[in-house]
Amino acid sequence: MRIQVMDDYEQLSYWAARVVLSQVTLQSNSVLGLATGSTPEGMYQRLVDMYQQGKVDFSDVTTFALDEYLGLSPDHPQSYQYYLYNKFFNHINLPPENINLPPGDTTDPEMACQNYEQAIASAGGIDLQVVGIGVNGHIGFNEPATSLNTNTHIVDLAEETIQTNSRFFDNIDEVPRQAITMGMGSIMGAKRIVMLANGKNKAAAVRDSFSGKVTTEVPASFLQLHREFILLLDKEAASML
Ligand code: PGA
């Protein structure tokens, strides 16, 4: 585990983008696992800037989104599909056929999970997985529990996650209660993982994940076991380490 503490969000976003840039530069056909949420917004903006400056070429890259709400159509402004197109895919030269997202509007979520896991395997696994962290220590939508799922699966969102994510919706009742998420095995199977966390509200989750024991009650703590794991923090998120 390599921990880097940045001065602020700008610097964090820049270095996160540099990690992705170097991955794609070294291996043009990289398979990227992509997180959504507030944290990586700056990273995507930087990557778009780098693309526009001719510094990176995504024409041979394949992407897999980490998770998606169940029950939102892809064009819903809070769907992760909408987020990724809006903030990233629409602005770069990633071929549409190389984009993979769990279908939030599927009528057969069980089958969709199996197909998604299969698609990751068929792509040769994920080369670089970008993740954020929830205030409760979740990664993707793998919520604290007495046991964790290995593969892509349907999950009931934790009350804390529903509360936290309600800031994106008009009211809390509109927050979907379920999601499809890559499982812990899908994430841990990535060759490299980079986690981004910023702000005071992430400090306790960062401390519990990386200064404590590995436990299913703090899913992000499993990343301690990964050989190629980079933790990028701003000063506030690192303040309780
Ligand atoms: P955030 O979400 O980036 O919006 O804080 C992170 C997460 O819940 O994994």
Side-chain angles (χ1 to χ4, degrees):
M1 174 162 94
R2 203 170 88 213
I3 304 180
Q4 288 181 352
V5 181
M6 310 298 169
D7 284 340
D8 54 27
Y9 180 70
E10 281 306 305
Q11 222 190 350
L12 173 80
S13 301
Y14 173 72
W15 282 102
R18 286 290 300 261
V19 172
V20 177
L21 174 82
S22 63
Q23 173 68 42
V24 174
T25 305
L26 288 171
Q27 187 190 337
S28 60
N29 66 348
S30 288
V31 179
L32 303 179
L34 299 178
T36 50
S38 315
T39 313
E41 280 188 22
M43 177 194 77
Y44 290 124
Q45 185 55 57
R46 289 287 191 161
L47 283 169
V48 169
D49 292 345
M50 287 169 178
Y51 169 72
Q52 285 168 352
Q53 291 158 9
K55 293 182 180 155
V56 58
D57 175 11
F58 292 98
S59 62
D60 210 12
V61 165
T62 296
T63 61
F64 285 88
L66 186 57
D67 48 19
E68 178 61 285
Y69 289 118
L70 259 182
L72 291 190
S73 68
D75 58 357
H76 190 290
Q78 294 312 329
S79 77
Y80 292 156
Q81 171 155 344
Y82 185 91
Y83 171 113
L84 282 168
Y85 273 86
N86 209 260
K87 297 189 190 305
F88 193 33
F89 300 154
N90 286 344
H91 312 287
I92 59 172
N93 65 337
L94 181 69
E97 62 275 19
N98 292 6
I99 295 171
N100 297 277
L101 298 123
D105 58 348
T106 178
T107 52
D108 190 347
E110 296 281 359
M111 183 55 80
C113 291
Q114 283 179 33
N115 291 345
Y116 203 66
E117 199 62 37
Q118 184 55 49
I120 295 171
S122 301
I126 289 168
D127 293 304
L128 174 67
Q129 176 68 56
V130 179
V131 291
I133 184 170
V135 289
N136 63 356
H138 75 196
I139 47 173
F141 276 132
N142 293 277
E143 303 285 19
T146 50
S147 66
L148 297 174
N149 285 53
T150 304
N151 292 338
T152 301
H153 61 284
I154 302 159
V155 65
D156 293 328
L157 300 185
E159 200 47 49
E160 210 167 0
T161 300
I162 294 167
Q163 294 276 355
T164 308
N165 289 7
S166 66
R167 70 189 192 280
F168 297 115
F169 292 81
D170 288 340
N171 69 66
I172 195 161
D173 295 334
E174 287 181 19
V175 185
R177 269 31 187 186
Q178 286 192 312
I180 293 179
T181 184
M182 280 188 200
M184 294 302 294
S186 338
I187 296 170
M188 291 294 285
K191 294 183 187 79
R192 297 170 72 210
I193 303 177
V194 57
M195 172 179 278
L196 284 50
N198 71 293
K200 270 203 181 69
N201 67 330
K202 297 292 174 70
V206 167
R207 176 200 60 205
D208 295 347
S209 301
F210 303 111
S211 326
K213 59 186 182 197
V214 175
T215 164
T216 59
E217 296 297 342
V218 187
S221 66
F222 278 78
L223 296 175
Q224 292 183 43
L225 303 174
H226 198 279
R227 283 177 191 278
E228 294 276 345
F229 173 53
I230 308 170
L231 178 57
L232 296 183
L233 304 172
D234 74 348
K235 281 184 177 157
E236 290 184 346
S239 61
M240 292 171 87
L241 278 178

